[in-house]
Amino acid sequence: MITNRLPSFACAGLICLVALPAFAQQGRLKLDACAGLAAKASNVVDITLDGPGLRMAARILEKDPEAQAMIQGLTGIFVKVFEFDKPGGYAASDLEGIRAQLQPGGWSRITQVKSRREGEVEIYLLEDGKGGNAGLTVLAMEPREVALVNILGPIDVAKLGSLEGKMGIPRLSEPKVTKQATKPGGAK
Amino acid sequence: MRARSLLLSALLVGCPLRAGDKVFDHLVNHLQSRYQKAPVGTGFMGFMARCFSPKGVSGLRMAIFEEVDTRQPQGEDFEAVVRSTIGTEVTPLLRSLSRTGERCSIYLWEREKRTELLIFSSEKGEVVLLKMRLDPDRLREWLNDPEGMARKKG
């Protein structure tokens, strides 16, 4: 009898195998969608810290339990930095490819900081549908630099500060810019 | 007699560091066949670099390919070779590409409780490959306070 069901089991297994990577990569942005930025940039830096890299980072931080706990649940940290020769070397439209990915699928902008001199920073959270979050994205747009940070996994925003001053992450000074927060879901 | 002893001592000091690093040798062989040129920095210069490497760094290996044609895109090809040598799940921790064609990739992975670092740098006419083993405790200290550690000279 069970042999009759084998094709069904095989199909179910196959679907699980296909779906698993997609689930694991939920919230991962296609940072390569900024072809316009890459073409104009004088330098492009990619930082990828996924499975093995994060496990190693957690071991390196084993003497710092707070910071270790912060990154243990994460599945990936992806950073892309575009540097430009001149201020204003890019247009806002060059970021459309990224912004389009942040509109649907549970991403909501929680913070927007604008400064005439220092540029603009936007922070997005990915809701997990259970009251928590499953990722965080930061867009930092300075006159000569654009940085995209895509972090996957549950993030306790209140504990983010525990990473300050560790692993090369600078200590944050008091912001001297006007803060303009928007309601979750109210991006753009 | 003294010169022979010195030479023998230098070889004995150098041998354990040179032996057993198949990853580095494989990558150097790949670059050597690609550029049809032998690297520099693997001999005396590499020995000196090992002698003066900071604390927490061991097994430093270096190969410099000078006056080679770096105009051909080499990044993706080299990444595939690295993956096939180290392991398919190893991806560059950092990748930098400039408009002028300068390229740098940094790989960090663990093998047998050791943290290994590989740096591949390619710029106009020159390719540098650097590999070393890192003490995880020392690495954490460097990451937490790079300026302070640099002042302490490692």
Side-chain angles (χ1 to χ4, degrees), chain A residues 2-170:
Chain A
I2 199 161
T3 50
N4 294 339
R5 290 188 179 177
L6 273 178
S8 312
F9 288 144
C11 273
L14 195 64
I15 289 166
C16 284
L17 282 174
V18 169
L20 200 61
F23 178 75
Q25 293 298 310
Q26 185 204 4
R28 180 162 182 183
L29 300 180
K30 289 175 186 160
L31 299 181
D32 292 332
C34 299
L37 278 181
K40 292 173 184 173
S42 57
N43 200 27
V44 181
V45 178
D46 257 307
I47 296 172
T48 303
L49 202 56
D50 51 9
L54 277 172
R55 284 197 294 275
M56 194 163 57
R59 274 194 291 276
I60 288 171
L61 287 169
E62 66 187 0
K63 287 182 182 167
D64 193 338
E66 207 177 351
Q68 192 188 33
M70 187 68 217
I71 64 163
Q72 245 168 1
L74 302 181
T75 54
I77 300 176
F78 308 94
V79 180
K80 196 145 188 159
V81 181
F82 301 89
E83 293 170 352
F84 303 90
D85 288 330
K86 293 173 188 170
Y90 62 97
S93 59
D94 293 327
L95 280 155
E96 284 308 312
I98 288 294
R99 288 186 194 283
Q101 295 176 61
L102 290 166
Q103 294 307 312
W107 284 106
S108 53
R109 191 172 66 190
I110 57 161
T111 304
Q112 184 182 34
V113 181
K114 278 186 180 177
S115 160
R116 198 175 293 167
R117 264 192 317 173
E118 294 172 43
E120 188 176 343
V121 177
E122 292 175 16
I123 301 176
Y124 295 80
L125 267 184
L126 177 65
E127 290 156 17
D128 64 359
K130 297 170 194 166
N133 62 70
L136 179 114
T137 292
V138 179
L139 298 188
M141 295 151 281
E142 292 179 17
R144 292 178 68 163
E145 189 174 291
V146 172
L148 310 170
V149 182
N150 182 210
I151 302 173
L152 304 183
I155 296 162
D156 187 344
V157 180
K159 285 185 182 170
L160 264 181
S162 69
L163 291 176
E164 257 186 80
K166 286 164 192 154
M167 296 176 74
I169 298 168

Side-chain angles (χ1 to χ4, degrees), chain A residues 39-50 52 55-56 59-63 85 165-169, chain B residues 89-100 102 108-110 115-116 136-137 139-140 143-146:
Chain A
K40 292 173 184 173
S42 57
N43 200 27
V44 181
V45 178
D46 257 307
I47 296 172
T48 303
L49 202 56
D50 51 9
R55 284 197 294 275
M56 194 163 57
R59 274 194 291 276
I60 288 171
L61 287 169
E62 66 187 0
K63 287 182 182 167
D85 288 330
K166 286 164 192 154
M167 296 176 74
I169 298 168
Chain B
E89 62 171 9
V90 174
T91 51
L93 172 71
L94 184 143
R95 233 183 332 204
S96 167
L97 175 66
S98 78
R99 196 188 293 154
T100 52
E102 288 173 24
L108 198 62
W109 73 98
E110 277 187 329
T115 303
E116 311 228 7
D137 287 336
L139 176 63
R140 187 180 56 248
L143 288 171
N144 283 339
D145 184 16

